[in-house]
Amino acid sequence: MRKPALRAPRTRSSPRAVRFRGGLHDPRTATVIGRLLGVAVLVCFVTGLFSHVLQEPPGWLATRTPARPVWVFRLTQGLHVATGIAAIPLLLAKLWTVYPRLFEWPPVRGVRHALERISVAVLVAAALLEVFMGLLNTLQWYVWPFSFRQVHWALAWVLAGSLLLHIAVKAPLISAHWRRRSPQTLQLPQESDPDRRSLLLGLGSAVGALTVVSAGQSFPPLRQLTLLAPRHMDHGSQGLPVNRTAAAARISRSQLRDWRLSVRGPRPYTLSLAELRELPQHRVELPIACVEGWSKSARWTGVRLRDLLERAEIPQGASLRVESLQREGAFAVTEMGAQYAQDPLTLLALGLNGEVLNLDHGYPARIIAPGRPGVLQTKWVRQIEVLG
Ligand SMILES: Nc1nc2c(c(=O)[nH]1)N[C@H]1C(S)=C(S)[C@@H](COP(=O)(O)O)O[C@H]1N2
Ligand SMILES: [Mo]
């Protein structure tokens, strides 16, 4: 029988070389798992890019991000977290398939080979860090001293670049093993086929199980099975989970005593809560979709933001800055493009699911707009002003 190509690393005659006789450390298995991992990484990357652009749009995109469909971010972020979680077992299986190459002898066969090995090391490190950082973030465990989003974003590009390089280098091997080979051209022992099927079945089950116990945080039909999620759709006051409570945001009752909404534009004004309640009220059904993966639709009542802007004679094309009573933290101030500010569904909400908004959901008033990440749905709004 021919020695299977790349089934095990080249061992030459070095006494330090290690032989891997176990099956499935072969390029066909690596290709099949790599394809699945590639799909997960691609979906995760594109949806992550979208989330980043919504939260920090470059100037030319700031007024072009979509407000429809209203659930667009709910879908993309749900997919981002689901594919990120699915990537974990896929990545571990891929690494297991190729790990004998770590013991390749000699470790370096020339400059090209050295560069390739370095690029693989960067790829593996970036991929592991990226998915585990993301996982910890979905579990709301911020163990690092730096900004999660900036580092997650930068690492995504390192990962994308080194992955493209890896695919380019491995292109001949990938294309040779893309399809299952006929027995004549098969270089691998046929007996590994059933093993490969078992491995893929196990891997598929792991991905499926992880998805089923986590996707219910944003996908209502699976809500009863939610185990691996920090928030449960059905837990939370007024029928909606709370991400940061008023106490955690250090909102005190005394700050609310003389609360008035301040709208600053060409004709600035302030309104008390009673005065806001006298303005025309609207009802909308819109989701909160948290970047951490959970989302839920709710019924909101309140004043149309565009009515408040018109009253201050703020031009229709203007972008806004929305400020919270919250003094510190990244969510105290947000910016909003005109496509959301002028949308008839965007409210300064005073009520939630038929009740007066409670303190944890942003009493006396909060922003709710279609298609935006939860982090931008500012609670405890104090002031709205024209940006610029
Ligand atoms: N001022 C302020 N607004 C905020 C936050 C915050 O911490 N402070 N959290 C945001 C996040 S991350 C989310 S997901 C939503 C959650 O809204 P909820 O707690 O009413 O469900 O509020 C957003 N608005
Ligand atoms: Mo969030």
Side-chain angles (χ1 to χ4, degrees), residues 140 142 243-244 288-294 331 373-376:
Q140 306 205 314
Y142 295 90
N243 219 40
R244 183 167 301 166
I288 289 274
C290 182
V291 290
E292 283 149 7
W294 63 269
F331 311 145
V375 282
L376 304 177

Side-chain angles (χ1 to χ4, degrees), residues 288 300 347-349 357 361-362 365-368 377-379 381:
I288 289 274
W300 306 90
L347 300 186
L348 183 72
L357 209 58
H361 285 302
R366 73 156 324 147
I367 291 290
I368 185 75
Q377 312 279 28
T378 312
K379 305 198 268 194
V381 171

Side-chain angles (χ1 to χ4, degrees), residues 144-159:
W144 37 79
F146 45 78
S147 153
F148 165 79
R149 192 156 55 82
Q150 300 306 335
V151 175
H152 202 57
W153 168 245
L155 261 178
W157 287 102
V158 175
L159 176 56

Side-chain angles (χ1 to χ4, degrees), residues 3-250:
K3 190 184 164 215
L6 293 150
R7 178 177 141 87
R10 218 183 289 198
T11 51
R12 303 241 167 126
S13 55
S14 161
R16 292 180 58 183
V18 186
R19 274 182 165 276
F20 290 85
R21 293 182 182 281
L24 303 178
H25 299 299
D26 62 81
R28 168 70 188 161
T29 309
T31 304
V32 174
I33 298 175
R35 267 192 323 224
L36 298 171
L37 184 56
V39 172
V41 168
L42 184 67
V43 174
C44 208
F45 182 78
V46 172
T47 50
L49 198 71
F50 182 64
S51 172
H52 184 84
V53 163
L54 289 180
Q55 291 174 71
E56 216 174 283
W60 60 278
L61 257 179
T63 56
R64 291 191 171 87
T65 53
R68 292 290 185 284
V70 298
W71 40 262
V72 60
F73 185 73
R74 191 176 188 196
L75 175 71
T76 61
Q77 195 63 11
L79 281 173
H80 184 72
V81 172
T83 50
I85 290 174
I88 295 173
L90 291 170
L91 180 60
L92 295 177
K94 179 76 163 62
L95 291 175
W96 175 80
T97 299
V98 298
Y99 91 93
R101 301 185 68 89
L102 263 182
F103 302 91
E104 230 171 27
W105 201 263
V108 172
R109 291 200 298 272
V111 177
R112 239 189 82 138
H113 185 232
L115 287 176
E116 191 212 319
R117 296 205 81 180
I118 291 170
S119 76
V120 170
V122 171
L123 171 60
V124 171
L128 285 173
L129 249 178
E130 191 73 339
V131 292
F132 283 108
M133 266 184 85
L135 180 69
L136 293 191
N137 188 61
T138 67
L139 300 174
Q140 306 205 314
W141 194 18
Y142 295 90
V143 277
W144 37 79
F146 45 78
S147 153
F148 165 79
R149 192 156 55 82
Q150 300 306 335
V151 175
H152 202 57
W153 168 245
L155 261 178
W157 287 102
V158 175
L159 176 56
S162 51
L163 181 56
L164 284 179
L165 186 66
H166 181 62
I167 293 172
V169 170
K170 297 289 179 196
L173 204 57
I174 295 170
S175 73
H177 294 276
W178 190 260
R179 291 169 183 283
R180 191 135 59 91
R181 297 227 165 155
S182 63
Q184 289 84 354
T185 49
L186 195 71
Q187 297 195 344
L188 310 169
Q190 260 173 296
E191 64 268 22
S192 70
D193 264 11
D195 287 350
R196 191 174 306 112
R197 265 195 294 279
S198 305
L199 174 71
L200 291 174
L201 199 69
L203 191 53
S205 313
V207 169
L210 278 176
T211 306
V212 163
V213 298
S214 60
Q217 61 179 320
S218 57
F219 185 56
L222 292 176
R223 69 215 284 173
Q224 303 300 342
L225 301 171
T226 310
L227 289 174
L228 187 71
R231 303 272 179 257
H232 193 290
M233 243 187 227
D234 296 331
H235 303 169
S237 57
Q238 304 187 306
L240 184 71
V242 173
N243 219 40
R244 183 167 301 166
T245 60
R250 301 218 214 148

